[in-house]
Amino acid sequence: MALFETRLIVDGGPQPVYRITVNDNGPDGGSSFDVQIGDIPTAIPPEIAAAALQTFGQALTEPLGYRVLAITRAVVTETPLDAPGEG
């Protein structure tokens, strides 16, 4: 298996990594996993990136009956974005 690596530049670097945390809604509370997306240019405002990630998260989870738990922007410190609505 190939080794994949994500580098975060924390000294004011331009491209944060976003993490979408998903739960599979299993009968015992489900299992959660993360999908990470990076390299979104800083020319795209954070609120537009957040809306796009929300749409992506829903498209990824709805057909499977999963749910999005959180969308987080990872920079020097992690900043939770608006919580998705329960559906």
Side-chain angles (χ1 to χ4, degrees):
M1 176 185 286
L3 175 64
F4 292 97
E5 181 177 291
T6 298
R7 293 177 184 237
L8 292 177
I9 301 170
V10 296
D11 61 351
Q15 293 151 323
V17 170
Y18 291 86
R19 182 176 63 232
I20 301 172
T21 304
V22 175
N23 184 280
D24 68 5
N25 281 331
D28 62 350
S31 297
S32 296
F33 59 92
D34 293 330
V35 175
Q36 295 181 5
I37 298 171
D39 295 332
I40 296 175
T42 56
I44 297 174
E47 61 276 6
I48 293 175
L53 292 166
Q54 178 71 33
T55 300
F56 173 76
Q58 293 304 317
L60 179 69
T61 58
E62 285 177 2
L64 301 172
Y66 295 178
R67 64 188 165 109
V68 175
L69 297 178
I71 300 174
T72 305
R73 180 176 181 235
V75 288
V76 176
T77 59
E78 294 185 352
T79 306
L81 304 176
D82 289 338
E86 294 279 34

